[in-house]
Amino acid sequence: MIDLRLPIGIFFILVGVILMIFGLVSPTNIPNIDVHINIDLYWGIVLLLFGIPMTFFGLRAERKIKKKAST
Amino acid sequence: MDHLLSFGHLAAPLALIQSAAVKKGPMLVMHPIDIAVLVVYLLFVVGIGIVTGRGQKTSEDFFLSGRSIPSWITGLAFISANLGALEVMGMSQQGYEYGMMTANFYWVGAIPAMVFMGVAMMPFFYGSKVRSVPEFLKKRYNEGTRFINAITFAVFTPAISGISMYALALVLQDFLGWHFTPSVIVSALVVLVYTFLGGLTASIYNEVLQFFLIVFGIAPMTIIALIANHGWSHFKQWLHTHQLPYLVPQAVAAGSKIAAATTHAVATTHAAATRTVSSMVHTGSAAAVAVKAKATAAVVQLPATQWLHTWKHTISGNNPMHITWPGVVLGLGFVLSFSYWCTNFLVVQRALAAKDMNAAQNTPLLATFPKMLFPFIVILPGVLAIPLIPHLYPGNAMVGGHHVSPTQTFNNVMPLMMAKYYPAGLLGLGLTALMASFMSGMAGNVTAFNTVFTYDLYAVFIRPNAPDRHYLNVGRVMTFVGIIVSVLFAYVVRGESGIMGYTQTIFGVVNAPLIAVFLLGMFTTFTTPIGGFVGLLVGTGTSVSLWILRLHKGFPLYHHYNNNTTAAFWSALWAFCAGAAATIIASLLSNKKASDQLVGLVYQLTPKPDSTNVPFWRRPIVLGVLALVGALILNLLFW
């Protein structure tokens, strides 16, 4: 069975990239408050920082399973 | 509509649903970037269903994931299955209405029971190799006890799923202007596809994805709400200078008890003849807007700082929830909590899918750590919303002779906060998280329902001894049936007010009597099959009777409690006591099973699992103690 970290990691990388690009292309502040924060950009980075290690560990586990199966 | 059309084929199906929104001018309009996030999510959940569906050959693969899943996955699924739309929206609503007292649902009403489940009860569930909670009751007691539990679970589980579906469709309708029916059908179809294909594995895998999505979609709200309040200390300062209203039943308000206790109360207004009370508006200035509330009640103003405490004001009962500490400790902390977390098959099933005994025991224990932090994501935004969105009302309130707009009710604190503070992009993530919370709850209910129906009703009373393949097919058909019934329930409760409280009542009716029978069965040898059967029957009868007695005007318990939450706590306690007394009395009058038949089912007669060969940090007792210490610290911090 597929290592669950892989789809979760890829999902958050995708969504993180979507938010980051949107935050860069059309910077939007948080509405209705007087502090200027490009929340889409920053939260996209947070999602990416979560997604990358999840994908890495998922891929590593998948490789291990394949290696075990071949031996 | 331009932005939707320009987004091409991805936007087309949603644009159809959203067309009504644009015409009516909804509170929220999804930007193409929001739709992109939603579409990516939908593709992933269906994809996970397809991938996990491969290689499912036996009924155990479908219903119990072949008992092969690591504990970190089952642990997150354990709490995610409980994270329905009602949890996310309901907890923020209760945070707004009752304040941090709502965290008692986690720090008192979940953590101790989850620890007990992992350390003391899981060895019996997993060790006895049962496939469901009703099957355990059959082994310990008899077929009749299994039947009562299976039938009540099979009836009420799709009901809860339907209520959850209704709540979500209502949000989509009120905020996005989406039509109710397409919203229900599209959501149900997505859940159907992945649970039908991948069974419990797909449900568990998606629950973990949904768990992270809910965290990352809702957590920014706490941060933003803190920024909007100019920080925690500024928020506390605001609370120190304001007072907030709460509803007290007239019978209590008229008595000396509340008068003596309410030393800080500044205003008590009630007009029983017209069943009208002054507003529940959180303005702090007690605006005299006429609001028709459900109860014949009075509104008392309390210092707003009370909304920050979990325990401090439970001695007098003079608190936003109007409950005293015995109700919290015994009703919630013991009966409701232990019955839900230790006997509800929806959550127990996740642990049964674990790959070994240690993983099964650690499933609820690992789940305690994220669970104890969840109040900061789902409750705190509701509390922080008090100064930010001041004019909210109970669901059935009337202002100036008109029903308040559905979007201006306590129930909708979370979507209202999103509408106010989430920009495009983050809004897509937040709305997708709300949908994910609904889907994880619904899939959890449906997979538990199809297992109990197939193993405990169909395979016992309709067609025993059929080939395994037959039960696998029945399970798939029941997945479909479970979703259809949930959709029907969503229509049944459509238009009903106060549906949030119904779920707590349902848990009380189904689970509260069960824990008495379970504890006596697992930890004593004298309880007999007849005792278990009679105990469950009497306990369930008591909780149903109490429910009926407070349903209608003129009934003895009508308006005895000022809200469903408090009523559920006390009803659960009485049902537990009745069930326990009946079990003991009937056991003393009937024959017990031979000791050798109880090995693996009763604590004293069962060899204890040996955890000395697992690393120190993975031992259930170590994780359990850490969880309890964490919960204690949080209770003290918000005393």
Side-chain angles (χ1 to χ4, degrees):
Chain A
M1 207 182 298
I2 188 171
D3 189 283
L4 181 57
R5 283 167 290 192
L6 198 55
I8 289 178
I10 295 170
F11 173 80
F12 280 102
I13 288 176
L14 270 175
V15 177
V17 167
I18 289 173
L19 284 189
M20 270 177 63
I21 292 174
F22 185 66
L24 285 170
V25 173
S26 72
T28 318
N29 290 318
I30 301 169
N32 297 310
I33 61 171
D34 47 11
V35 183
H36 300 291
I37 302 170
N38 186 345
I39 188 82
D40 283 334
L41 174 65
Y42 294 129
W43 205 249
I45 293 170
V46 170
L47 297 187
L48 209 58
L49 289 176
F50 174 73
I52 289 170
M54 285 295 266
T55 309
F56 171 76
F57 289 119
L59 281 173
R60 202 174 66 164
E62 285 285 306
R63 259 188 243 121
K64 269 186 191 170
I65 291 167
K66 275 183 191 159
K67 214 173 174 183
K68 239 183 203 175
S70 63
T71 50
Chain B
M1 284 294 286
D2 287 348
H3 62 274
L4 291 173
L5 295 172
S6 67
F7 200 68
H9 67 285
L10 288 182
L14 283 160
L16 282 174
I17 299 174
Q18 207 176 18
S19 58
V22 179
K23 282 175 201 161
K24 286 181 187 173
M27 190 168 275
L28 289 167
V29 176
M30 287 181 91
H31 187 278
I33 208 75
D34 302 324
I35 296 170
V37 173
L38 178 60
V39 169
V40 169
Y41 165 72
L42 293 177
L43 290 176
F44 264 75
V45 289
V46 173
I48 285 174
I50 293 168
V51 172
T52 53
R54 292 179 199 152
Q56 296 219 337
K57 294 183 176 64
T58 67
S59 63
E60 193 155 282
D61 289 337
F62 187 76
F63 293 121
L64 293 172
S65 301
R67 298 185 194 263
S68 61
I69 299 187
S71 55
W72 75 270
I73 294 178
T74 51
L76 291 181
F78 189 86
I79 45 174
S80 190
N82 168 252
L83 269 178
L86 292 179
E87 172 94 355
V88 173
M89 286 183 49
M91 285 296 138
S92 53
Q93 169 238 315
Q94 296 216 358
Y96 187 93
E97 202 172 349
Y98 306 129
M100 283 308 289
M101 280 194 88
T102 312
N104 282 332
F105 278 102
Y106 294 76
W107 302 334
V108 181
I111 306 302
M114 288 162 77
V115 170
F116 184 76
M117 167 69 163
V119 174
M121 287 180 80
M122 191 48 69
F124 304 109
F125 280 129
Y126 198 86
S128 61
K129 293 289 169 200
V130 294
R131 297 166 298 185
S132 67
V133 166
E135 190 178 353
F136 181 88
L137 288 172
K138 192 258 169 188
K139 283 194 170 187
R140 176 61 184 85
Y141 294 110
N142 55 19
E143 203 65 80
T145 319
R146 160 154 65 182
F147 179 75
I148 298 175
N149 181 226
I151 203 78
T152 49
F153 188 83
V155 169
F156 285 118
T157 304
I160 289 174
S161 178
I163 290 171
S164 183
M165 179 184 275
Y166 164 76
L168 183 89
L170 210 58
V171 171
L172 298 180
Q173 180 180 273
D174 292 341
F175 285 84
L176 294 168
W178 294 6
H179 292 300
F180 187 86
T181 298
S183 299
V184 163
I185 289 174
V186 169
S187 316
L189 270 179
V190 173
V191 175
L192 175 65
V193 168
Y194 74 77
T195 49
F196 184 85
L197 292 173
L200 182 63
T201 311
S203 179
I204 285 179
Y205 271 39
N206 273 320
E207 279 158 15
V208 177
L209 171 67
Q210 286 150 355
F211 169 83
F212 286 115
L213 183 55
I214 292 164
V215 170
F216 284 112
I218 309 288
M221 184 51 74
T222 306
I223 301 166
I224 292 172
L226 278 171
I227 296 171
N229 275 300
H230 307 289
W232 180 247
S233 51
H234 194 272
F235 172 68
K236 283 207 308 194
Q237 212 175 344
W238 185 93
L239 292 178
H240 275 288
T241 53
H242 288 77
Q243 291 183 322
L244 298 170
Y246 87 113
L247 213 60
V248 183
Q250 195 192 350
V252 180
S256 58
K257 188 180 165 192
I258 192 76
T262 317
T263 51
H264 297 290
V266 291
T268 302
T269 314
H270 57 84
T274 55
R275 296 178 65 214
T276 302
V277 296
S278 73
S279 92
M280 286 287 290
V281 188
H282 278 166
T283 57
S285 58
V289 182
V291 175
K292 183 183 175 189
K294 182 183 173 190
T296 302
V299 171
V300 174
Q301 294 288 320
L302 290 177
T305 45
Q306 290 207 5
W307 267 249
L308 279 184
H309 295 284
T310 53
W311 289 101
K312 196 172 176 183
H313 304 285
T314 57
I315 296 164
S316 63
N318 185 25
N319 54 64
M321 208 178 269
H322 189 65
I323 191 164
T324 49
W325 65 268
V328 179
V329 174
L330 299 173
L332 171 66
F334 178 51
V335 181
L336 268 182
S337 159
F338 277 64
S339 55
Y340 179 79
W341 292 103
C342 299
T343 67
N344 191 319
F345 186 55
L346 169 68
V347 287
V348 174
Q349 189 181 25
R350 272 70 202 151
L352 293 183
K355 62 181 181 179
D356 54 37
M357 175 65 88
N358 184 254
Q361 282 194 277
N362 285 348
T363 294
L365 295 169
L366 289 174
T368 55
F369 297 101
K371 184 75 182 174
M372 72 176 76
L373 298 177
F374 248 78
F376 298 107
I377 296 177
V378 292
I379 297 173
L380 200 52
V383 184
L384 290 165
I386 294 171
L388 303 175
I389 306 181
H391 298 282
L392 295 185
Y393 304 84
N396 53 356
M398 290 182 79
V399 177
H402 300 286
H403 280 287
V404 293
S405 156
T407 54
Q408 291 305 114
T409 60
F410 292 156
N411 294 343
N412 287 319
V413 170
M414 185 60 84
L416 280 168
M417 288 287 278
M418 283 185 186
K420 188 169 181 183
Y421 294 113
Y422 271 16
L426 196 59
L427 180 65
L429 191 65
L431 287 175
T432 306
L434 275 187
M435 290 186 204
S437 72
F438 148 75
M439 286 184 188
S440 65
M442 182 178 189
N445 279 303
V446 168
T447 49
F449 164 79
N450 66 20
T451 307
V452 165
F453 182 88
T454 307
Y455 281 150
D456 297 298
L457 294 173
Y458 184 85
V460 177
F461 301 104
I462 299 172
R463 194 171 162 194
N465 305 318
D468 185 71
R469 186 83 202 166
H470 178 75
Y471 294 131
L472 174 64
N473 291 334
V474 170
R476 288 217 158 102
V477 171
M478 290 320 293
T479 304
F480 185 74
V481 171
I483 287 186
I484 296 289
V485 175
S486 301
V487 170
L488 291 177
F489 263 108
Y491 279 92
V492 168
V493 295
R494 192 178 180 184
E496 290 284 322
S497 60
I499 56 155
M500 299 284 181
Y502 288 172
T503 53
Q504 282 164 347
T505 307
I506 289 173
F507 287 137
V509 168
V510 178
N511 295 320
L514 200 55
I515 191 66
V517 177
F518 255 97
L519 291 180
L520 286 166
M522 277 185 172
F523 297 100
T524 70
T525 53
F526 77 91
T527 38
T528 66
I530 299 286
F533 177 75
V534 172
L536 192 53
L537 206 60
V538 169
T540 307
T542 305
S543 54
V544 170
S545 305
L546 289 171
W547 184 15
I548 292 168
L549 286 176
R550 61 185 170 86
L551 269 184
H552 297 289
K553 197 178 178 184
F555 285 8
L557 293 180
Y558 188 63
H559 289 163
H560 185 75
Y561 304 102
N562 75 327
N563 59 60
N564 276 328
T565 305
T566 310
F569 290 1
W570 285 108
S571 300
L573 188 58
W574 293 123
F576 171 85
C577 292
T583 306
I584 292 168
I585 293 166
S587 292
L588 293 173
L589 300 172
S590 55
N591 297 325
K592 63 180 185 180
K593 280 187 174 180
S595 294
D596 60 322
Q597 286 181 287
L598 299 178
V599 175
L601 303 170
V602 177
Y603 185 81
Q604 295 90 320
L605 306 172
T606 305
K608 307 295 168 291
D610 180 19
S611 59
T612 51
N613 56 343
V614 295
F616 181 74
W617 56 273
R618 280 177 56 194
R619 289 180 194 169
I621 194 72
V622 175
L623 291 173
V625 169
L626 282 176
L628 290 176
V629 170
L632 182 67
I633 291 169
L634 288 167
N635 270 298
L636 292 174
L637 279 176
F638 285 88
W639 162 259

